[in-house]
Amino acid sequence: MNRDIEKNYDPKTLEDKWYKIWEERKAFSPDKKKDKVFSIIMPPPNVTGILHMGHALNTTCQDVLVRHKRMSGYNTLWIPGTDHAGIATQAKVEKKIFKEEKKTKHDLGREDFLKRIWEWKEEHGDEIVKQLKKLGASCDWDYETFTMDEGPNKAVRKVFTKLYNEGLIYKDKRIINWDTVLQSAISDAEVEYKEVKGKFYHIHYQVEGSDEVLEVATTRPETLFGDTAVAVNPKDPRFKKLIGKNAIIPICERVVPIVGDSYVDMELGTGCLKVTPAHDFNDFEIGKRHDLEVINILHPDGKLNQHAKAVEGLSAQAARKKTIEILKEKEILVDVKEHKHQVGHGERSDSVIEPMVSTQWFLNVQDMAKKSLQSVKKEKMNFVPKQWENTFFGWMKEPRDWCLSRQLWWGHRIPVYTCKTCEYEFSFESEPSECPKCQSRTLIQDPDVLDTWFSSGLWPLSTLGWPVQEEMDKKGFDTYFPNTMLITAFDIIFFWVARMSMMNIKLMNTVPFKDVYIHGLVRDKQGRKMSKSLGNGINPLDLIEQYGCDAMRFTLANGCGFNRGFNLDPKLIESSRNFMNKIWNAFRFISPFLRRKVGNYKISTRDIDIPTKWILTELNSTAHLMNKHLEAYRFDEAASTIYSFVYDKFCSWYLELSKPVLYSDDQAIVKKRAEILRFLFEELLKLLHPISPFITEEIWSYFYEDRLIINQDYPVLRQEYQFDHEHEKMAHFIELVTQIRNLRASVGLKPKEQIELEFFTDDKKTAEFIHENRHYLESLAQVKKGTIHNKDAKRPQKSTMATTSLVETFLPLEGLIDIAEEVARLNKQIDKVKSELEKVNKKIQNKNFMDRAPEEVVLEVRTKAKDFQTKLDALEANLSSLE
RNA sequence: GGGCCCUUAGCUCAGUUGGUUAGAGCGCUACCUUGACAUGGUAGAGGUCAGAGAUUCGAAUUCUCUAGGGCCCACCA
């Protein structure tokens, strides 16, 4: 090695360096010569976004798979991009402008305001991109797409126009969720229901021309100004006779019909329902059935309008208070009851959603949803883990038409135009210059923009250049669409996965991806969701700063199985950092024996010892398992597999066993071992690379100057490295050494103090093996001398012993052992073996078991019984020799 | 109200078609500055797998019920 290596692993110096090199060498570009294809799109983060643990987990999962596939010979493409995030971005820039210039968007006007957002985007939009790079994401930045780029805009216009012309997109005046802070419609999916403590107000409504009163119960008394009926159940004997008569709404003194509608629950409340079609979803439906008047009582900002004269200009809350006061004065508020109920809040603004009647654009999704549902059922699209398809089904089974329009400025503007001259309305794929009907040039475009998820729904298409043929050819549309898979979190299954699948099936007649892997949420140490309000968020960049990206990625992968997420304790990352340090130092240890190379590296499996055959076999099973787990999206299993190989197999045993070899005087032996160590190290770096790319690339660079690890072939199981027989022998040897160490510890020997042992075995091969490897016993357990006897030989007195099924090991320590302690230790072991033996014997005595269990299970149990018996006999013999 | 999931060591979690001496990491205990690593080493302690029942030769694993916890959906005035 011709470079000095720092004693401690310091990730800071190497992570940025390698990312730059990968980018410069185009290491993330797909290799189009390869036959097998792996393509995946990144869920586009908001341009306004700041990296959080969710991104870190999502990106890690994707990058692990992408790197694995790339190394496994796939034509691998990972497309990154960012989302314009209509509401979030507009609100952010709006706030900034107001803070700095005290101007609202209306002061600036639509055009200038949009210009300002674009300026903001140019200036800050790559912040999130820089952060993704910090995570090591090996996506092809040449494909980077922004949802408001020209390409996606073409896609949006084309699709909108197609759906419009098919009559699936329509304009309708109906009740929608209105966010009074954003002053825009929002979709059903954007409404969060929260439990709120409220009150039931019981109010008397007079029946017209009679002394009778109807008692209605409501949680929102201020809506009475919009009441246009009172409804009762037509079967209700109490009120049946009133149907067809009129009631008088208090305060505004409006006369409204009393209607019978089976929606009304006789048991609930008073059995009498005030009907406010303009501000309640169910009332709207009742209104339609009975042809009721719809009176909107709210301004867009949520304040009461002229239809609520008595409380005009007040916020809903203030209006409620005042309404109650008036009702009290009039003595028609007859009861107030505590009541807990679910109230819709805007996901973005967190303000109370006011259902409101308004004219909006809708997409009829009934048929699209049905087809999408069938695709999942037919397993054309697989959710992993499978139970997530229930969440998907939940949405698809009863879809409500999608409210597409938003009263915002930032977004894809709805491409619908109305001719001022002839009033013809049409949708157009590009900017129209004249009315197709009357050729008038005075066209007015719809002022609204589309829901952000409309363009997100087209993401698998638009990122590959669709619908422009030239772009599609350039980007390899035919090769990469549909994508191999998608990785996302469960909270956007409705928003995004559902929309993408509907859109893509509709447009391309195929699902957009084969697999959808859903990972969980990263929560804090105590299992709480990370949130701004709790202040418990962990910034991934801080973790990277403190422990390094590799350690963080390793921890995330390690926690990411088929679960609902995991609780992230920074301590876990510390442990991963220690693992990286372990690798670093293992490399530091072997590096003086190695030379830097150019060209392929091979080892010979001729004349290698048992430990080497053992570690090669371990390497094999590690390679096999890594591939298996990564194929199955078991990031957790993959991480612990490589961890165990590096730590428990390579460092703890093979390196230790290699020390006496490397310190040998015979240079040929040293060289041979060094080559094997190098080979093993290269392989383990490759195996780990997808999870922890930086440290592996760094160490790799000490091995080779002409190539990067990112492009190497991922290890697979190789028959020539499989030595099952030697593997078993070595496993027994490890058991033996551990027992000897245990013996030493149990009598309190100092680590350096050398011992003499006596072994008793009737197994000739074991005897030979112990003899051949006696120098290892010395280096690993300070055994300076050992004598091997047949089992019929006399056991030494006053000694401590341990036993495996093949060999008894005695440590004679006349006078040094505490007899009482030793007896206790032996008794404990005897008890344990006895109970195991009993269990096994019970099975053997059970005739049903012997008759019905499969042969190999019976055989296994018999072997166990024999082994336990041998151990027990030896332990008991030793015990009696002490007493 | 409907649906999904969880309950395994002090903590965070694995345990794939029923057969393991039920595992890992962190934490804990004892000993150790052994020439890769104290961001370390060696050896340990610690679990009647939430509870009850059922199926089976055999259940952490399958089924039913109970208790506790989480999440999603839903218009209950």
Side-chain angles (χ1 to χ4, degrees):
Chain A
M1 292 294 116
N2 38 17
R3 272 195 269 165
D4 286 337
I5 306 141
E6 296 294 324
K7 183 176 170 196
N8 282 325
Y9 160 66
D10 180 14
K12 269 179 224 152
T13 55
L14 49 96
E15 295 187 348
D16 290 346
K17 173 182 89 180
W18 284 113
Y19 199 88
K20 225 175 124 202
I21 292 173
W22 289 327
E23 275 197 293
E24 279 163 13
R25 300 211 203 157
K26 294 270 171 211
F28 305 152
S29 303
D31 184 346
K32 299 197 167 119
K33 296 188 293 288
K34 301 276 170 62
D35 297 332
K36 296 181 289 183
V37 174
F38 183 83
S39 61
I40 181 167
I41 45 172
M42 179 187 289
N46 294 354
V47 268
T48 48
I50 300 164
L51 200 74
H52 53 67
M53 284 318 297
H55 294 122
L57 176 65
N58 182 254
T59 307
T60 299
C61 291
Q62 291 176 83
D63 198 43
V64 169
L65 293 183
V66 164
R67 284 177 189 267
H68 176 239
K69 290 293 180 187
R70 188 185 291 122
M71 290 174 84
S72 300
Y74 282 75
N75 175 351
T76 307
L77 176 64
W78 182 16
I79 303 180
T82 47
D83 191 277
H84 67 280
I87 290 164
T89 310
Q90 173 165 330
K92 187 158 190 159
V93 178
E94 214 175 329
K95 221 175 181 176
K96 185 176 175 251
I97 293 173
F98 189 77
K99 201 178 159 195
E100 288 168 6
E101 305 164 34
K102 296 274 171 267
K103 281 183 182 163
T104 67
K105 62 182 179 206
H106 300 289
D107 295 334
L108 292 169
R110 185 164 189 150
E111 210 169 304
D112 278 349
F113 181 63
L114 285 178
K115 219 173 107 192
R116 296 291 292 271
I117 300 183
W118 274 110
E119 279 168 17
W120 184 92
K121 191 256 165 189
E122 293 312 318
E123 208 177 316
H124 303 284
D126 64 339
E127 202 52 38
I128 189 85
V129 169
K130 279 188 202 149
Q131 296 184 327
L132 289 170
K133 290 182 177 181
K134 277 269 180 196
L135 296 173
S138 67
C139 41
D140 189 343
W141 294 103
D142 291 344
Y143 276 81
E144 185 184 349
T145 310
F146 176 53
T147 49
M148 288 249 289
D149 281 345
E150 199 190 330
N153 187 248
K154 280 183 182 156
V156 164
R157 293 185 71 118
K158 186 184 172 83
V159 173
F160 188 99
T161 302
K162 177 184 160 68
L163 298 174
Y164 177 91
N165 289 339
E166 284 182 29
L168 290 171
I169 290 180
Y170 59 94
K171 203 178 201 174
D172 196 13
K173 189 173 182 179
R174 60 163 77 170
I175 190 155
I176 45 88
N177 298 294
W178 185 264
D179 188 314
T180 55
V181 170
L182 302 167
Q183 300 197 22
S184 173
I186 60 173
S187 73
D188 299 326
E190 287 168 299
V191 180
E192 269 179 23
Y193 287 88
K194 295 186 187 176
E195 191 170 274
V196 168
K197 265 193 217 162
K199 288 190 171 95
F200 251 142
Y201 300 92
H202 290 237
I203 307 167
H204 276 169
Y205 282 29
Q206 186 91 37
V207 177
E208 191 189 30
S210 114
D211 291 339
E212 252 185 290
V213 286
L214 286 172
E215 186 176 329
V216 301
T218 178
T219 53
R220 297 189 298 160
E222 74 282 7
T223 60
L224 67 82
F225 297 101
D227 284 4
T228 54
V230 174
V232 296
N233 193 300
K235 286 181 189 154
D236 195 326
R238 294 171 295 175
F239 307 117
K240 219 156 75 175
K241 56 183 189 299
L242 295 174
I243 295 170
K245 295 191 173 171
N246 290 328
I248 301 164
I249 310 295
I251 308 180
C252 57
E253 308 298 330
R254 184 182 303 128
V255 177
V256 300
I258 297 166
V259 299
D261 196 292
S262 57
Y263 166 75
V264 180
D265 187 338
M266 291 185 271
E267 309 294 315
L268 198 68
T270 59
C272 240
L273 179 67
K274 64 193 268 308
V275 183
T276 324
H279 299 288
D280 183 286
F281 283 86
N282 292 302
D283 293 4
F284 183 76
E285 295 301 320
I286 296 173
K288 274 208 290 201
R289 285 196 285 273
H290 300 278
D291 201 23
L292 299 175
E293 197 186 345
V294 176
I295 302 174
N296 186 342
I297 59 165
L298 293 174
H299 286 300
D301 62 0
K303 291 193 175 127
L304 279 286
N305 68 15
Q306 70 282 1
H307 295 297
K309 270 279 176 307
V311 292
E312 190 179 350
L314 296 177
S315 71
Q317 218 180 348
R320 182 169 306 168
K321 214 172 147 193
K322 186 150 181 208
T323 308
I324 294 163
E325 277 170 22
I326 300 172
L327 292 170
K328 269 187 189 160
E329 273 169 33
K330 298 197 165 194
E331 292 180 358
I332 45 179
L333 178 70
V334 292
D335 200 2
V336 181
K337 281 181 182 147
E338 295 292 326
H339 178 60
K340 268 188 205 165
H341 60 146
Q342 303 286 322
V343 176
H345 287 69
E347 209 200 22
R348 301 274 183 193
S349 67
D350 203 36
S351 64
V352 173
I353 293 305
E354 298 291 347
M356 200 188 277
V357 168
S358 153
T359 302
Q360 303 285 346
W361 290 99
F362 293 89
L363 172 61
N364 177 343
V365 294
Q366 305 308 318
D367 192 49
M368 289 161 85
K370 206 185 277 172
K371 285 190 174 138
S372 173
L373 189 74
Q374 280 162 1
S375 294
V376 173
K377 284 206 165 144
K378 283 186 201 147
E379 299 199 345
K380 286 181 181 163
M381 193 165 107
N382 302 306
F383 279 89
V384 183
K386 200 170 172 59
Q387 76 255 19
W388 288 113
E389 63 181 36
N390 288 322
T391 305
F392 181 84
F393 290 158
W395 196 83
M396 287 298 182
K397 273 177 189 159
E398 283 175 78
R400 262 207 257 165
D401 283 0
W402 177 7
C403 177
L404 290 177
S405 41
R406 296 289 179 277
Q407 286 65 52
L408 305 173
W409 289 351
W410 176 245
H412 293 283
R413 192 159 168 184
I414 290 175
V416 172
Y417 300 83
T418 310
C419 175
K420 236 178 166 176
T421 313
C422 71
E423 295 193 343
Y424 178 61
E425 184 197 88
F426 62 99
S427 179
F428 211 67
E429 280 186 30
S430 54
E431 201 73 37
S433 54
E434 56 179 37
C435 172
K437 266 249 167 88
C438 74
Q439 282 74 46
S440 159
R441 288 174 177 267
T442 48
L443 300 172
I444 301 167
Q445 186 173 4
D446 193 287
D448 290 351
V449 300
L450 284 166
D451 180 8
T452 308
W453 296 102
F454 192 87
S455 51
S456 312
L458 302 173
W459 198 234
L461 297 166
S462 56
T463 47
L464 286 168
W466 191 88
V468 181
Q469 193 59 48
E470 199 190 330
E471 285 293 309
M472 289 161 73
D473 293 344
K474 208 171 94 191
K475 296 191 164 176
F477 187 91
D478 292 344
T479 309
Y480 302 116
F481 185 88
N483 296 148
T484 315
M485 68 171 311
L486 177 80
I487 301 186
T488 192
F490 58 79
D491 51 346
I492 55 173
I493 291 177
F494 300 130
F495 285 111
W496 198 38
V497 182
R499 265 83 183 256
M500 279 192 289
S501 80
M502 288 193 307
M503 294 281 223
N504 283 269
I505 290 167
K506 172 75 190 165
L507 298 164
M508 309 305 290
N509 209 19
T510 171
V511 291
F513 16 72
K514 186 96 187 77
D515 284 359
V516 181
Y517 175 75
I518 302 290
H519 61 243
L521 253 39
V522 187
R523 287 178 297 267
D524 77 356
K525 203 170 141 179
Q526 290 141 50
R528 300 172 306 177
K529 205 168 162 175
M530 289 187 188
S531 73
K532 267 187 200 158
S533 52
L534 275 174
N536 61 344
I538 300 175
N539 183 345
L541 298 176
D542 292 345
L543 294 178
I544 290 172
E545 177 69 20
Q546 199 178 351
Y547 302 108
C549 182
D550 284 331
M552 183 186 70
R553 288 173 56 127
F554 191 87
T555 308
L556 292 174
N558 203 214
C560 188
F562 285 4
N563 48 29
R564 283 218 154 212
F566 64 104
N567 305 347
L568 184 72
D569 182 345
K571 274 242 151 171
L572 296 172
I573 302 176
E574 194 180 320
S575 135
S576 300
R577 191 272 319 270
N578 295 351
F579 176 52
M580 298 300 147
N581 187 59
K582 186 84 181 170
I583 295 172
W584 187 262
N585 279 290
F587 169 66
R588 228 162 55 85
F589 171 66
I590 64 166
S591 66
F593 303 98
L594 310 176
R595 221 165 280 138
R596 216 159 169 224
K597 296 249 174 161
V598 178
N600 276 329
Y601 196 76
K602 282 224 165 102
I603 54 153
S604 152
T605 51
R606 275 194 324 183
D607 302 326
I608 52 174
D609 61 1
I610 288 177
T612 302
K613 287 182 175 172
W614 170 79
I615 193 76
L616 287 172
T617 308
E618 287 288 346
L619 174 71
N620 251 353
S621 63
T622 304
H624 169 72
L625 287 172
M626 288 304 279
N627 285 301
K628 184 181 141 192
H629 294 322
L630 292 175
E631 290 291 336
Y633 313 122
R634 288 306 301 259
F635 302 98
D636 55 341
E637 296 284 356
S640 48
T641 299
I642 186 65
Y643 183 95
S644 154
F645 177 74
V646 171
Y647 227 111
D648 307 336
K649 308 291 175 3
F650 184 75
C651 290
S652 294
W653 288 100
Y654 195 69
L655 271 191
E656 292 306 323
L657 288 163
S658 293
K659 281 177 182 174
V661 181
L662 291 172
Y663 295 138
S664 151
D665 294 331
D666 185 337
Q667 281 314 299
I669 290 177
V670 174
K671 193 174 165 231
K672 184 159 178 135
R673 178 55 57 109
E675 284 182 350
I676 286 165
L677 283 167
R678 176 193 172 123
F679 168 76
L680 290 165
F681 218 92
E682 284 186 16
E683 297 300 292
L684 75 84
L685 289 176
K686 288 186 217 162
L687 288 166
L688 177 62
H689 181 261
I691 302 176
S692 296
F694 297 108
I695 188 175
T696 47
E697 192 71 88
E698 172 71 14
I699 297 177
W700 182 265
S701 75
Y702 289 88
F703 289 152
Y704 292 105
E705 47 194 308
D706 63 334
R707 66 190 67 190
L708 298 172
I709 198 172
I710 191 172
N711 303 317
Q712 299 307 303
D713 290 341
Y714 202 75
V716 291
L717 188 140
R718 291 165 65 169
Q719 235 8 272
E720 68 266 35
Y721 300 150
Q722 191 69 26
F723 301 97
D724 292 330
H725 180 64
E726 287 84 352
H727 186 265
E728 200 180 316
K729 267 190 161 178
M730 185 65 194
H732 188 242
F733 179 73
I734 288 173
E735 191 188 358
L736 181 65
V737 171
T738 307
Q739 278 192 353
I740 296 169
R741 286 168 170 172
N742 186 346
L743 283 181
R744 297 178 56 103
S746 72
V747 295
L749 283 173
K750 297 280 173 208
K752 274 186 174 170
E753 206 168 328
Q754 294 204 314
I755 50 168
E756 288 183 26
L757 294 178
E758 292 191 44
F759 300 102
F760 296 85
T761 182
D762 283 340
D763 187 75
K764 214 174 160 193
K765 281 185 181 160
T766 302
E768 273 169 24
F769 186 74
I770 293 172
H771 181 71
E772 279 165 19
N773 292 287
R774 57 194 183 281
H775 58 292
Y776 286 135
L777 289 180
E778 184 177 358
S779 69
L780 296 174
Q782 298 292 332
V783 180
K784 102 181 142 193
K785 192 180 162 195
T787 319
I788 305 171
H789 308 275
N790 282 333
K791 276 199 174 171
D792 49 17
K794 195 167 176 273
R795 308 293 194 272
Q797 294 294 301
K798 304 286 179 203
S799 39
T800 178
M801 68 85 73
T803 176
T804 72
S805 52
L806 291 176
V807 57
E808 291 169 33
T809 307
F810 278 77
L811 173 58
L813 278 172
E814 185 83 39
L816 274 184
I817 48 170
D818 180 326
I819 298 287
E821 242 176 61
E822 187 60 16
V823 168
R825 188 183 73 89
L826 281 170
N827 271 325
K828 197 177 167 187
Q829 284 187 26
I830 287 170
D831 285 349
K832 200 176 170 189
V833 175
K834 253 190 191 162
S835 89
E836 291 305 329
L837 183 63
E838 255 171 53
K839 262 194 235 170
V840 175
N841 278 338
K842 239 186 211 164
K843 282 191 182 178
I844 292 174
Q845 282 149 20
N846 184 338
K847 192 171 172 297
N848 280 327
F849 171 77
M850 297 305 274
D851 288 349
R852 299 190 197 185
E855 211 175 314
E856 72 255 27
V857 175
V858 174
L859 195 73
E860 206 177 295
V861 168
R862 284 218 154 103
T863 316
K864 266 186 207 162
K866 216 180 99 203
D867 290 352
F868 286 138
Q869 191 61 58
T870 315
K871 278 189 186 180
L872 186 62
D873 292 346
L875 288 166
E876 279 177 339
N878 185 238
L879 183 65
S880 61
S881 83
L882 289 174
E883 283 164 350

